Amino acid sequence: LVILDGLDECKSEEAQCEFLEFICGQVAEADGFPLLWMICSRPELHLERAVRRAETEGLCWVEELRVDDPEAQSDVESYLRDEFRRIAKRCHPRKEGAWPPGKVFDRIVSASSGLFVFATTVIKFIDQSGSDPRSQLEAVVAAIDGAPLPQGSMNPLTYIDNLYLEIL
């Protein structure tokens, strides 16, 4: 099984379609092709068209998984707001102002995509005993943005990676 996640984030729409059509063509041409492909992407129109154009009838399936439920997103946002407020009160009881800053909070809410497993993993990582929540938050934001983690930081999304690995 070869898993390609984030095809829609590759170089250009043309390159994405070319790559997808190449894979579909190889699978269609080779009798008993030894690899299975799982290609994950946001539902982009150009990719849907590329799959339909490819001669892979019976060899290719499209499954749409919707995770953008507004109610779930709202619930996750409320959970994160309450948990960040609790952590801020515990760690900095006299400090005024919202923590984390609005843009950082919005980035975490957006990255959660309405999934509580993401939100709870982030909160557990930030709220680890013996660690500084601010530096832990920096590591979370770096991991979300795909940036290098701050020196000495663990990957805050390891738990989720291991969960998805087990599922797959």
Side-chain angles (χ1 to χ4, degrees), residues 77-94:
E77 184 174 347
S78 294
Y79 167 78
L80 286 169
R81 191 173 313 285
D82 291 346
E83 289 298 305
F84 277 122
R85 200 174 290 134
R86 178 186 60 76
I87 293 168
K89 186 182 279 189
R90 181 179 54 81
C91 296
H92 307 284
R94 294 190 182 114

Side-chain angles (χ1 to χ4, degrees), residues 24-35:
C24 290
Q26 293 299 309
V27 171
E29 287 178 19
D31 187 31
F33 194 74
L35 298 176

Side-chain angles (χ1 to χ4, degrees), residues 12-22 46-47 50 53:
S12 69
E13 287 184 10
E14 183 181 333
Q16 295 166 20
C17 290
E18 193 174 298
F19 183 71
L20 189 57
E21 289 168 355
F22 174 77
H46 65 279
L47 295 175
R53 275 195 310 265

Side-chain angles (χ1 to χ4, degrees), residues 46-66:
H46 65 279
L47 295 175
E48 291 177 22
R49 286 181 183 148
V51 169
R52 276 187 257 135
R53 275 195 310 265
E55 295 180 20
T56 57
E57 193 170 311
L59 297 175
C60 180
W61 296 269
V62 175
E63 181 73 33
E64 184 174 346
L65 304 174
R66 304 209 40 92

